[in-house]
mmCIF file of all heavy atoms in Angstrom:
data_model
loop_
_atom_site.group_PDB
_atom_site.id
_atom_site.type_symbol
_atom_site.label_atom_id
_atom_site.label_comp_id
_atom_site.label_asym_id
_atom_site.label_seq_id
_atom_site.Cartn_x
_atom_site.Cartn_y
_atom_site.Cartn_z
ATOM 1 N N ASP A 85 -120.935 -71.310 -177.524
ATOM 2 C CA ASP A 85 -122.042 -71.035 -176.599
ATOM 3 C C ASP A 85 -123.237 -71.974 -176.776
ATOM 4 O O ASP A 85 -124.318 -71.687 -176.272
ATOM 5 C CB ASP A 85 -122.498 -69.576 -176.752
ATOM 6 C CG ASP A 85 -123.044 -69.276 -178.138
ATOM 7 O OD1 ASP A 85 -122.942 -70.140 -179.016
ATOM 8 O OD2 ASP A 85 -123.580 -68.169 -178.328
ATOM 9 N N LYS A 86 -123.044 -73.078 -177.495
ATOM 10 C CA LYS A 86 -124.152 -74.005 -177.695
ATOM 11 C C LYS A 86 -123.702 -75.449 -177.539
ATOM 12 O O LYS A 86 -122.559 -75.790 -177.851
ATOM 13 C CB LYS A 86 -124.741 -73.870 -179.107
ATOM 14 C CG LYS A 86 -125.428 -72.568 -179.405
ATOM 15 C CD LYS A 86 -126.061 -72.636 -180.797
ATOM 16 C CE LYS A 86 -126.589 -71.282 -181.216
ATOM 17 N NZ LYS A 86 -125.521 -70.334 -181.561
ATOM 18 N N VAL A 87 -124.630 -76.275 -177.053
ATOM 19 C CA VAL A 87 -124.444 -77.730 -177.049
ATOM 20 C C VAL A 87 -125.615 -78.315 -177.827
ATOM 21 O O VAL A 87 -126.767 -78.193 -177.409
ATOM 22 C CB VAL A 87 -124.432 -78.298 -175.612
ATOM 23 C CG1 VAL A 87 -124.311 -79.815 -175.650
ATOM 24 C CG2 VAL A 87 -123.290 -77.690 -174.803
ATOM 25 N N LEU A 88 -125.323 -78.911 -178.954
ATOM 26 C CA LEU A 88 -126.362 -79.532 -179.776
ATOM 27 C C LEU A 88 -126.247 -81.040 -179.593
ATOM 28 O O LEU A 88 -125.160 -81.603 -179.728
ATOM 29 C CB LEU A 88 -126.163 -79.168 -181.245
ATOM 30 C CG LEU A 88 -125.977 -77.674 -181.540
ATOM 31 C CD1 LEU A 88 -125.681 -77.461 -183.012
ATOM 32 C CD2 LEU A 88 -127.208 -76.896 -181.128
ATOM 33 N N ARG A 89 -127.355 -81.684 -179.272
ATOM 34 C CA ARG A 89 -127.299 -83.122 -178.978
ATOM 35 C C ARG A 89 -128.387 -83.859 -179.748
ATOM 36 O O ARG A 89 -129.552 -83.474 -179.709
ATOM 37 C CB ARG A 89 -127.485 -83.367 -177.482
ATOM 38 C CG ARG A 89 -127.417 -84.855 -177.119
ATOM 39 C CD ARG A 89 -127.782 -85.146 -175.649
ATOM 40 N NE ARG A 89 -127.099 -84.267 -174.730
ATOM 41 C CZ ARG A 89 -127.725 -83.398 -173.935
ATOM 42 N NH1 ARG A 89 -129.020 -83.297 -173.939
ATOM 43 N NH2 ARG A 89 -127.041 -82.623 -173.121
ATOM 44 N N THR A 90 -127.992 -84.923 -180.427
ATOM 45 C CA THR A 90 -128.959 -85.834 -181.031
ATOM 46 C C THR A 90 -128.937 -87.130 -180.235
ATOM 47 O O THR A 90 -127.871 -87.733 -180.056
ATOM 48 C CB THR A 90 -128.597 -86.120 -182.509
ATOM 49 O OG1 THR A 90 -128.737 -84.918 -183.243
ATOM 50 C CG2 THR A 90 -129.535 -87.180 -183.089
ATOM 51 N N GLU A 91 -130.116 -87.532 -179.755
ATOM 52 C CA GLU A 91 -130.242 -88.784 -179.002
ATOM 53 C C GLU A 91 -130.574 -89.897 -179.987
ATOM 54 O O GLU A 91 -131.396 -89.713 -180.889
ATOM 55 C CB GLU A 91 -131.344 -88.637 -177.957
ATOM 56 C CG GLU A 91 -131.011 -87.561 -176.928
ATOM 57 C CD GLU A 91 -132.223 -87.069 -176.162
ATOM 58 O OE1 GLU A 91 -133.353 -87.257 -176.648
ATOM 59 O OE2 GLU A 91 -132.023 -86.497 -175.081
ATOM 60 N N LEU A 92 -129.940 -91.038 -179.790
ATOM 61 C CA LEU A 92 -130.124 -92.154 -180.721
ATOM 62 C C LEU A 92 -130.671 -93.374 -179.995
ATOM 63 O O LEU A 92 -130.518 -93.511 -178.774
ATOM 64 C CB LEU A 92 -128.792 -92.497 -181.388
ATOM 65 C CG LEU A 92 -128.191 -91.376 -182.268
ATOM 66 C CD1 LEU A 92 -126.766 -91.736 -182.663
ATOM 67 C CD2 LEU A 92 -129.042 -91.121 -183.500
ATOM 68 N N GLU A 93 -131.289 -94.247 -180.777
ATOM 69 C CA GLU A 93 -131.864 -95.480 -180.220
ATOM 70 C C GLU A 93 -131.405 -96.670 -181.041
ATOM 71 O O GLU A 93 -130.949 -96.514 -182.171
ATOM 72 C CB GLU A 93 -133.397 -95.407 -180.256
ATOM 73 C CG GLU A 93 -133.964 -94.365 -179.339
ATOM 74 C CD GLU A 93 -135.478 -94.279 -179.455
ATOM 75 O OE1 GLU A 93 -136.079 -95.107 -180.155
ATOM 76 O OE2 GLU A 93 -136.035 -93.360 -178.835
ATOM 77 N N ALA A 94 -131.569 -97.846 -180.458
ATOM 78 C CA ALA A 94 -131.230 -99.087 -181.156
ATOM 79 C C ALA A 94 -131.987 -99.144 -182.476
ATOM 80 O O ALA A 94 -133.146 -98.734 -182.564
ATOM 81 C CB ALA A 94 -131.580 -100.282 -180.289
ATOM 82 N N GLY A 95 -131.298 -99.635 -183.495
ATOM 83 C CA GLY A 95 -131.929 -99.776 -184.796
ATOM 84 C C GLY A 95 -131.696 -98.603 -185.719
ATOM 85 O O GLY A 95 -131.812 -98.733 -186.935
ATOM 86 N N GLN A 96 -131.365 -97.429 -185.133
ATOM 87 C CA GLN A 96 -131.034 -96.274 -185.969
ATOM 88 C C GLN A 96 -129.588 -96.391 -186.418
ATOM 89 O O GLN A 96 -128.826 -97.200 -185.895
ATOM 90 C CB GLN A 96 -131.214 -94.978 -185.169
ATOM 91 C CG GLN A 96 -132.648 -94.690 -184.780
ATOM 92 C CD GLN A 96 -132.753 -93.362 -184.032
ATOM 93 O OE1 GLN A 96 -132.143 -93.182 -182.991
ATOM 94 N NE2 GLN A 96 -133.527 -92.456 -184.586
ATOM 95 N N LYS A 97 -129.217 -95.554 -187.377
ATOM 96 C CA LYS A 97 -127.800 -95.493 -187.752
ATOM 97 C C LYS A 97 -127.090 -94.515 -186.813
ATOM 98 O O LYS A 97 -127.696 -93.536 -186.360
ATOM 99 C CB LYS A 97 -127.655 -95.012 -189.187
ATOM 100 C CG LYS A 97 -128.035 -96.079 -190.194
ATOM 101 C CD LYS A 97 -127.686 -95.646 -191.601
ATOM 102 C CE LYS A 97 -127.939 -96.806 -192.544
ATOM 103 N NZ LYS A 97 -127.984 -96.389 -193.946
ATOM 104 N N PRO A 98 -125.809 -94.754 -186.523
ATOM 105 C CA PRO A 98 -125.061 -93.844 -185.640
ATOM 106 C C PRO A 98 -124.592 -92.603 -186.399
ATOM 107 O O PRO A 98 -123.401 -92.316 -186.485
ATOM 108 C CB PRO A 98 -123.894 -94.711 -185.169
ATOM 109 C CG PRO A 98 -123.658 -95.644 -186.309
ATOM 110 C CD PRO A 98 -125.002 -95.914 -186.932
ATOM 111 N N ILE A 99 -125.571 -91.888 -186.934
ATOM 112 C CA ILE A 99 -125.306 -90.722 -187.778
ATOM 113 C C ILE A 99 -126.262 -89.609 -187.357
ATOM 114 O O ILE A 99 -127.431 -89.881 -187.070
ATOM 115 C CB ILE A 99 -125.536 -91.068 -189.266
ATOM 116 C CG1 ILE A 99 -124.560 -92.173 -189.714
ATOM 117 C CG2 ILE A 99 -125.375 -89.833 -190.145
ATOM 118 C CD1 ILE A 99 -124.817 -92.698 -191.117
#
Side-chain angles (χ1 to χ4, degrees):
D85 63 352
K86 293 185 188 73
V87 177
L88 310 176
R89 181 187 312 117
T90 294
E91 297 161 340
L92 297 170
E93 293 177 6
Q96 294 182 301
K97 286 188 174 164
I99 298 173

